[in-house]
Amino acid sequence: MPKITLSHLTKSYSPKAAAAVDNITFTVEDGSFTCILGPSGCGKSTILRMIAGLETLSEGEIDVDGRVLDSVTKGIFVPPEKRGIGLVFQSYALWPHMTVAQNIEFGLKIQKMPAAQRKARVAQMVATLRIEGLEDRYPAQLSGGQQQRVALARTLAVTPGILLLDEPLSNLDAALRLTMRAELSRLHREFGTTIVFVTHDQWEAMTLATHIAVMSKGALQQYATASQIYEAPANRFVADFIGNPPINMLPAASHVARSFARAAGLDAPAHELGLRPEGITLGLSESAGAVTAIIESILPTGGSWLVELTCADDAGPIRLVQSTQTPPRWRVGQAVYVSALAEAMHLFSDTGARIASGVSRSHDHSRSSAGVI
Amino acid sequence: MSTLATNPTRPEPAPFGARLRHRLTIARKEPTALAGLCMLVLFGWLIAVPLVSIFQDMFTIQTGDAARIGGEVGDWTSYYLSRAFASRMSGIIFWKPLVNTLTVALVSMSLALVIGSVLSWLLVRSDLMGRGWLATALIIPFMLPAWTFALAWTTLFKNATIGGQPGWVEAMGYQLPDWVSYGIFPTIVIMTLNYIPFVILLVGNALRRLDSQLEDAGRMLGAGKGTLALQIVFPMMRPAVMSAALLMFADAVGEFSVPYVLGLPVQFETLATSLYRAIGTQQSGMAAVFTGVILLIGVVTLSLDTWMMREARRFAIIGGKGSMGRRQSLGVLQWPAFAFAFGLFCVAVIVPLGALALSTVMQLPGRFTLSNFTLDYWIGRDLGTVALRNGILLSDEFWAAAWNSVRIVGTASICAGLLGLMTGYIVTRSPVRWLAVALRQITFFPYLVPGIAFAAAFLSLFAVPHGPIPALYGTPLILLLALVADQMPFASRAGISAMTQLGRDVEESARIMGASWWKRMMAIIVPIQKGALVTAMIMPFISGIKGVSLFIILAVPATDVLTTFSIRLVDYNYTQAANAVVLMIALIALVGTLVINRITGTGLAQGLES
Ligand SMILES: Nc1ncnc2c1ncn2[C@@H]1O[C@H](COP(=O)(O)OP(=O)(O)OP(=O)(O)O)[C@@H](O)[C@H]1O
Ligand SMILES: [Mg+2]
């Protein structure tokens, strides 16, 4: 059962430039659906290509179930064609001179599967990915979504134990993307493969993945489950990158931040206070820890609303964004009381590391006390 | 489970030895670098070694010269150099041919440049009538072997100085002086006519690109016409003009066939014909000197061109597809301009081809009576001649030569095409950068070396056995190898440009599927690049079929090809038959070129420029 261990994985394309992938260590559990998430150019594709063997390592080791595939120190390199890992390219990389059926059949031919069995397998894959009727077309005669499914079919046909997917949904329209997500989830359950999926769409990652690896500038920021990434971000970057609209960051020394923190029982010295827009409540009556603010604007975003506020503070006004599912009953310019849910708050040090998080009062007993991890 | 990755421990970097071992393991599993190395060795042997060997010949005593020079064969000597450059004979042996060569090259280049630029402007920027078909018609000479025109000239203007049948003009009763019939004047005229299409292709293309920028720049800056011409047009045209000039010059320096056909009767020698004579009289030391000089001129001019091309490319990147917007109206000059273009078409295409074609169906030149016309030279039997007793279409020699041409040139083109694609593959995919660079340069190198010099180099190296390689002279193999090497610039450029356009991922996805390197080549790369492969084969085929230089030196009667066959017929004064053979070659070259244009849809200009 495939479990991928990456140790100190490093890739520098040139000695002068910063490493594209820098000292990455984590283990992809068997049968998991892991997302690599991060801004453009952070090294996601490079990691996948290194696991597949298409990119040489500058440093580090890759092993799958205890078998070393690639190691600089041990001088081991198993070429891509011998790794038995499936990779679906962001660009699909279908073979333009082969029909859909031939594309799917190619890997089976390499495996020397008898013709009759091959035919059956192709038919099965075509049905699974719902591309019936396209078997005799060439890639140039397919739509983007169809090409993508052919690319998946081609890779899944050879039943790799490990499936690497490089932003395979990024070129699809919203509706097709939803269907394909469901499809991927289903395939994951059905085939039981270990999937590593690259995306820079955090929502996609949150809905699909069992585990998420967040990267920035070649370095791993956090590797954890989706909910942990959201509820306990390892650092300021993760907190900021995950969540839409992005987390509010206030100077910890400000009057507003101090009064929120005090109400939540967070008293660690910190540099910044992060406050999720979903955790802000507005009201007309004063409550513990509440501060006053003026409504600046109200933006409907289809089913939810963004409310922009400014609070007066010693060092100048502080802007906050609230996100709410209920239609706001405020007018622009109106003064309101702002309070914050404890679990929506995180304290960060000046290096960006998370120091502490607020803990929901109602769940106090189910968690360890003042949530320092 | 929550792994925080704040500063994970960083191990010591892997030691150099381990890193090297890792590298080697990768290289062993990935044959691209290995294949590249093999190709480099092959081309080193085919391209670099012959050229080195000729330089060696220049400085060592050659067989047969030992007694005269005083020393052993193979000893170091400066005899050949001093004989060429500083002996009593050097005026005749070397300096005169050098001056002739440079005169012909410079004059024909300049004339072609002037006439060609005017024509380019007329075709691209003016409302010249008939410019559509003229643009194609005026390119035709480019597709024909240069000595087609030399033979046409002889057919028309030959005088009584040498034996055989007179030219048409003399046959009609006009006396022609030698300088019109032979030597430098007709050589220059013919080379000029032959190079004009070159200029039309290169300069015309540059003008076409210029269009949009001209208009944009004009609109943006509100510049006057004069400023525009000076500041934008001139600098932008310069690379194309320079490039055309240098290419023509280098080609003219190595041109052998035209001065050979037209110069011999009046002892008009150029470096190329001197080289040929040196080889014909077994003076390999002197041949090496001539080769060296031609090579030097070629290398200097064409490195200049490469440098200019880099400049040009910088412009090309900015330039778009140039909207064919406004054209200059010619007004009253319309008719003179058309007469000029059409006149040139007549002089460069209709007259020579027509004369050649007519000459093959006339018994006596220049006599236009019905009884004088005959198809005997094509399909006659038992003609009263000594050698070729049947019309060429019925003669075994012709078909043997034709079959040899197709067989040798065809095989060489297939090899060149495959090697070209392979070169493209390695140049674009090699994990080792220097290998890619070395391969790209060495395959381009024959472009810098005129065919005649290259053939001489080949002869010098492969005439004698070297280690396990037997002497190849007289075998089709030496022709084959020389052709492959000579055609690599076209083939490798076609290969490189095709591979550059094919993403790596297509091959990588096959690799992921478990396909071996060989399987990937056969099932993915070659089928996808079918079109490019065909181009990379047809281009060398045409240029090989119409080429003379390589064959004249390396072919023996057993490996007679169409070109050497026709030159031999010229030597025997079988004018009609020679012309008929030339027409057949021209036909093959023309059809081949049209086929390429059909397949690639790009046209010749790109092929020349890229
Ligand atoms: N062949 C290469 N040569 C040099 N640098 C490269 C090469 N390939 C990638 N890089 C650099 O490595 C870094 C990581 O690239 P990578 O393709 O892994 O990013 P990514 O996270 O997949 O980005 P995206 O989301 O845009 O696909 C980038 O800064 C990129 O410029
Ligand atoms: Mg990427």
Side-chain angles (χ1 to χ4, degrees):
Chain A
M1 285 282 105
K3 164 176 140 177
I4 313 167
T5 310
L6 311 177
S7 339
H8 306 293
L9 211 58
T10 300
K11 173 78 193 179
S12 342
Y13 282 104
S14 84
K16 275 168 278 162
V21 168
D22 191 12
N23 197 21
I24 299 259
T25 300
F26 69 93
T27 300
V28 176
E29 297 297 335
D30 166 41
S32 68
F33 196 131
T34 299
C35 254
I36 303 181
L37 192 58
S40 182
C42 68
K44 306 180 295 290
S45 299
T46 307
I47 290 191
L48 284 203
R49 291 174 56 80
M50 286 198 285
I51 297 176
L54 296 172
E55 213 71 72
T56 56
L57 310 194
S58 305
E59 213 65 72
E61 183 171 307
I62 297 169
D63 96 34
V64 168
D65 287 335
R67 175 178 171 229
V68 178
L69 291 185
D70 208 333
S71 165
V72 179
T73 39
K74 295 176 190 155
I76 296 174
F77 175 75
V78 178
E81 58 267 34
K82 299 266 166 58
R83 291 194 182 187
I85 293 176
L87 169 61
V88 176
F89 291 70
Q90 186 168 359
S91 56
Y92 312 143
L94 297 178
W95 299 302
H97 62 300
M98 297 185 191
T99 61
V100 167
Q102 286 167 339
N103 261 282
I104 300 174
E105 212 181 1
F106 184 81
L108 304 173
K109 275 191 186 159
I110 300 261
Q111 292 185 343
K112 304 216 159 53
M113 187 185 272
Q117 240 174 299
R118 270 199 325 251
K119 244 188 142 63
R121 183 90 182 120
V122 170
Q124 184 196 346
M125 289 322 299
V126 163
T128 310
L129 287 144
R130 308 201 184 108
I131 40 177
E132 297 100 332
L134 306 178
E135 290 92 330
D136 295 323
R137 296 228 204 136
Y138 285 92
Q141 302 164 327
L142 301 177
S143 76
Q146 290 165 337
Q147 289 186 25
Q148 206 248 298
R149 280 176 282 170
V150 175
L152 268 171
R154 181 177 74 175
T155 310
L156 292 172
V158 297
T159 43
I162 294 172
L163 182 58
L164 310 174
L165 303 162
D166 194 353
E167 297 188 40
L169 310 184
S170 59
N171 293 345
L172 306 186
D173 65 61
L176 192 53
R177 211 183 256 231
L178 269 183
T179 350
M180 289 311 300
R181 269 184 208 148
E183 197 85 340
L184 279 178
S185 271
R186 190 172 64 79
L187 289 171
H188 178 234
R189 279 194 310 273
E190 247 170 56
F191 289 86
T193 27
T194 304
I195 295 182
V196 181
F197 182 98
V198 158
T199 177
H200 47 217
D201 179 339
Q202 49 161 304
W203 203 74
E204 200 161 277
M206 299 303 248
T207 49
L208 280 174
T210 58
H211 298 78
I212 294 179
V214 182
M215 292 185 56
S216 164
K217 294 181 186 147
L220 183 64
Q221 303 299 318
Q222 185 169 14
Y223 178 58
T225 63
S227 55
Q228 278 172 322
I229 291 266
Y230 181 78
E231 286 162 13
N235 54 34
R236 189 186 189 284
F237 175 84
V238 177
D240 191 35
F241 189 72
I242 305 289
N244 191 19
I247 196 164
N248 295 292
M249 282 290 176
L250 334 175
S254 65
H255 159 71
V256 177
R258 272 186 291 132
S259 85
F260 285 156
R262 204 177 315 119
L266 280 171
D267 45 12
H271 181 63
E272 274 178 311
L273 172 80
L275 174 57
R276 296 259 179 226
E278 306 82 76
I280 294 180
T281 48
L282 305 180
L284 289 174
S285 53
E286 183 156 16
S287 59
V291 297
T292 53
I294 307 290
I295 307 279
E296 290 288 340
S297 67
I298 300 171
L299 303 171
T301 55
S304 65
W305 286 262
L306 293 186
V307 182
E308 282 190 283
L309 314 148
T310 32
C311 315
D313 205 276
D314 316 335
I318 289 179
R319 298 171 52 80
L320 290 174
V321 175
Q322 184 217 17
S323 156
T324 171
Q325 306 287 329
T326 51
R329 50 198 168 93
W330 326 112
R331 284 173 292 104
V332 171
Q334 192 176 359
V336 289
Y337 286 102
V338 182
S339 50
L341 296 180
E343 65 266 32
M345 276 185 249
H346 307 286
L347 291 178
F348 299 99
S349 73
D350 51 356
T351 59
R354 185 173 58 97
I355 300 166
S357 296
V359 174
S360 163
R361 293 287 150 84
S362 51
H363 295 99
D364 237 357
H365 53 276
S366 66
R367 297 250 183 118
S368 58
S369 56
V372 184
I373 300 179
Chain B
M1 190 207 77
S2 171
T3 316
L4 299 190
T6 39
N7 294 327
T9 56
R10 189 182 291 270
E12 287 288 299
F16 180 76
R19 206 176 286 277
L20 191 69
R21 206 148 45 91
H22 186 236
R23 272 275 189 89
L24 286 177
T25 319
I26 294 171
R28 208 147 30 87
K29 308 264 163 81
E30 157 69 337
T32 304
L34 190 69
L37 223 53
C38 294
M39 300 264 293
L40 200 60
V41 171
L42 175 70
F43 289 128
W45 180 63
L46 280 184
I47 295 170
V49 175
L51 295 176
V52 171
S53 133
I54 206 123
F55 272 98
Q56 207 181 332
D57 285 358
M58 213 186 290
F59 297 105
T60 50
I61 297 179
Q62 299 296 302
T63 323
D65 295 336
R68 190 176 342 151
I69 301 172
E72 294 289 307
V73 169
D75 279 358
W76 191 90
T77 178
S78 61
Y79 171 77
Y80 300 115
L81 287 182
S82 57
R83 181 170 155 81
F85 301 135
S87 74
R88 261 185 318 119
M89 299 293 291
S90 58
I92 301 170
I93 294 179
F94 181 77
W95 297 112
K96 193 85 201 302
L98 177 70
V99 169
N100 283 342
T101 305
L102 294 180
T103 314
V104 168
L106 282 173
V107 175
S108 53
M109 173 195 91
S110 316
L111 286 176
L113 212 52
V114 172
I115 301 174
S117 299
V118 172
L119 282 170
S120 311
W121 185 84
L122 286 174
L123 291 173
V124 176
R125 300 284 301 176
S126 82
D127 64 344
L128 181 74
M129 60 182 149
R131 54 180 183 269
W133 67 267
L134 273 174
T136 312
L138 286 171
I139 300 301
I140 291 177
F142 181 72
M143 309 173 197
L144 306 174
W147 47 288
T148 314
F149 300 96
L151 289 189
W153 189 279
T154 342
T155 304
L156 290 172
F157 301 116
K158 192 169 145 190
N159 70 11
T161 301
I162 52 170
Q165 296 185 326
W168 290 9
V169 175
E170 287 240 332
M172 284 188 259
Y174 303 96
Q175 285 294 314
L176 284 175
D178 275 355
W179 68 265
V180 173
S181 301
Y182 315 105
I184 195 163
F185 171 72
T187 305
I188 287 176
V189 171
I190 285 168
M191 304 236 303
T192 305
L193 289 180
N194 201 44
Y195 289 141
I196 288 173
F198 229 151
V199 183
I200 297 180
L201 284 172
L202 287 174
V203 175
N205 232 28
L207 269 177
R208 207 162 284 133
R209 269 201 212 112
L210 198 61
D211 263 11
S212 59
Q213 282 154 341
L214 244 182
E215 316 228 325
D216 291 351
R219 214 174 292 132
M220 303 267 292
L221 303 170
K225 266 212 156 94
T227 327
L228 215 60
L230 223 67
Q231 306 274 330
I232 298 171
V233 181
F234 182 68
M236 297 233 0
M237 294 306 293
R238 201 189 50 193
V241 172
M242 284 296 286
S243 190
L246 294 171
L247 282 174
M248 286 187 289
F249 182 77
D251 194 80
V253 168
E255 175 58 45
F256 160 78
S257 56
V258 176
Y260 177 74
V261 172
L262 293 170
L264 218 51
V266 290
Q267 282 87 45
F268 171 74
E269 298 277 2
T270 63
L271 289 177
T273 56
S274 302
L275 167 61
Y276 177 59
R277 272 204 316 152
I279 291 170
T281 51
Q282 320 287 323
Q283 308 177 54
S284 39
M286 291 311 291
V289 175
F290 289 121
T291 310
V293 174
I294 297 179
L295 216 138
L296 200 69
I297 301 177
V299 169
V300 169
T301 30
L302 283 150
S303 17
L304 264 175
D305 171 63
T306 320
W307 183 70
M308 297 305 308
M309 248 10 232
R310 211 171 303 145
E311 297 272 290
R313 200 159 291 138
R314 226 178 288 149
F315 289 113
I317 291 166
I318 325 165
K321 270 241 155 38
S323 60
M324 295 300 291
R326 264 165 275 155
R327 286 176 177 276
Q328 186 82 38
S329 171
L330 287 172
V332 289
L333 289 176
Q334 179 67 254
W335 279 103
F338 178 76
F340 173 60
F342 186 74
L344 192 82
F345 172 62
C346 290
V347 170
V349 179
I350 306 233
V351 170
L353 285 186
L356 281 183
L358 274 178
S359 80
T360 63
V361 293
M362 289 163 77
Q363 277 166 357
L364 294 172
R367 187 179 300 169
F368 296 92
T369 57
L370 202 55
S371 64
N372 191 35
F373 285 91
T374 174
L375 286 177
D376 277 355
Y377 300 107
W378 289 96
I379 52 172
R381 281 184 192 286
D382 295 322
L383 311 175
T385 45
V386 183
L388 199 70
R389 298 188 68 86
N390 290 338
I392 65 151
L393 290 184
L394 296 181
S395 82
D396 295 340
E397 286 108 314
F398 172 77
W399 290 111
W403 168 235
N404 261 342
S405 276
V406 171
R407 188 171 56 121
I408 296 173
V409 177
T411 315
S413 309
I414 290 173
C415 294
L418 287 171
L419 285 172
L421 185 63
M422 201 59 216
T423 306
Y425 179 82
I426 290 162
V427 165
T428 51
R429 302 286 191 267
S430 168
V432 191
R433 241 188 73 78
W434 66 262
L435 195 61
V437 174
L439 209 55
R440 182 202 285 267
Q441 279 171 354
I442 198 167
T443 52
F444 184 70
F445 198 72
Y447 198 69
L448 310 182
V449 186
I452 191 111
F454 203 71
F458 245 72
L459 190 65
S460 137
L461 182 67
F462 294 113
V464 287
H466 279 284
I469 301 149
L472 296 176
Y473 183 62
T475 65
L477 196 60
I478 193 170
L479 276 171
L480 196 78
L481 291 176
L483 272 171
V484 169
D486 196 47
Q487 300 303 339
M488 276 321 291
F490 297 111
S492 70
R493 277 208 246 174
I496 291 171
S497 79
M499 285 306 300
T500 314
Q501 279 156 34
L502 181 67
R504 276 164 186 263
D505 54 359
V506 177
E507 195 196 346
E508 285 174 345
S509 60
R511 199 168 184 202
I512 291 286
M513 291 279 171
S516 65
W517 188 79
W518 184 247
K519 178 85 189 169
R520 296 196 302 269
M521 282 318 271
M522 286 312 166
I524 308 288
I525 302 288
V526 171
I528 291 180
Q529 299 291 20
K530 238 177 349 201
L533 197 59
V534 171
T535 316
M537 288 175 181
I538 295 186
M539 194 86 160
F541 185 77
I542 295 166
S543 122
I545 274 282
K546 68 180 193 183
V548 185
S549 322
L550 288 181
F551 297 108
I552 198 92
I553 286 180
L554 296 175
V556 294
T559 53
D560 217 7
V561 292
L562 284 178
T563 41
T564 48
F565 182 52
S566 75
I567 292 247
R568 227 148 32 83
L569 292 174
V570 174
D571 289 343
Y572 295 161
N573 270 319
Y574 289 168
T575 322
Q576 288 94 338
N579 292 356
V581 174
V582 169
L583 281 176
M584 297 302 284
I585 297 172
L587 188 70
I588 297 177
L590 201 66
V591 170
T593 315
L594 295 177
V595 168
I596 294 199
N597 271 3
R598 252 298 144 71
I599 293 179
T600 61
T602 48
L604 285 162
Q606 267 103 333
L608 280 174
E609 280 187 344
S610 58

